[in-house]
Amino acid sequence: MIHMIVTSHGGMAEGMMQSVEMLLGEQKEVECVSLAPDMGADELNEVFAEKLKNVSEKDEYLILCDLRGGTPFNVVSRYSFKNEHIAVMYGMNLPMLIAALMERQGEGQTVQELAASILKQLKETMGLSEL
């Protein structure tokens, strides 16, 4: 099973999940982790250490981050460097989150394959409205 963690600065992660659940209904095996203004990297690392302690081939994790180089991204990337069953993506937006949630339901796909598939799809999620 591919579990998901949505992480961001402030309440963006929770807000995005609220929007997703309006569109898709309640989602299982998805957690939000937000970096509060009074938190540091060490405290955030403790949260992720607890959430990622049972990663395995049967319990993989896709982690979506708000932006590259931010504290949530930097903290979780260290976990993905050490474990192929964790994939970290940055630049999270609503289409990315919806695609990940919908596609992860398929069977037989690894978290790395899921991340690659989502990257391919993202080219179609942004554009300029023209007449």
Side-chain angles (χ1 to χ4, degrees):
M1 163 164 273
I2 298 177
H3 306 271
M4 287 180 54
I5 299 176
V6 181
T7 187
S8 67
H9 295 81
M12 179 183 171
E14 289 84 0
M16 289 192 62
M17 280 308 301
Q18 183 180 25
S19 295
V20 163
E21 290 186 342
M22 287 177 67
L23 298 167
L24 302 179
E26 184 180 347
Q27 298 297 306
K28 298 190 185 310
E29 304 302 330
V30 180
E31 296 182 68
C32 295
V33 175
S34 293
L35 176 66
D38 60 344
M39 282 176 82
D42 291 338
E43 190 175 352
L44 188 64
N45 187 55
E46 289 176 21
V47 172
F48 278 107
E50 180 63 28
K51 293 195 179 299
L52 298 173
K53 67 182 178 184
N54 295 319
V55 174
S56 69
E57 187 175 340
K58 293 186 179 193
D59 285 308
E60 297 185 299
Y61 281 79
L62 176 63
I63 304 172
L64 303 183
C65 301
D66 53 356
L67 62 114
R68 181 180 182 195
T71 301
F73 172 82
N74 291 339
V75 168
V76 298
S77 288
R78 291 184 198 120
Y79 290 92
S80 69
F81 298 155
K82 299 175 190 174
N83 192 321
E84 67 181 10
H85 301 296
I86 299 171
V88 175
M89 298 181 77
Y90 59 86
M92 175 177 58
N93 60 32
L94 197 54
M96 173 195 275
L97 183 53
I98 290 170
L101 288 165
M102 304 267 306
E103 192 168 330
R104 78 178 173 133
Q105 296 172 6
E107 301 219 4
Q109 187 177 48
T110 69
V111 71
Q112 299 298 333
E113 292 167 338
L114 174 60
S117 176
I118 294 166
L119 282 175
K120 287 181 187 177
Q121 295 176 44
L122 289 179
K123 294 177 185 174
E124 299 172 12
T125 65
M126 294 178 63
L128 177 63
S129 177
E130 298 178 305
L131 292 175

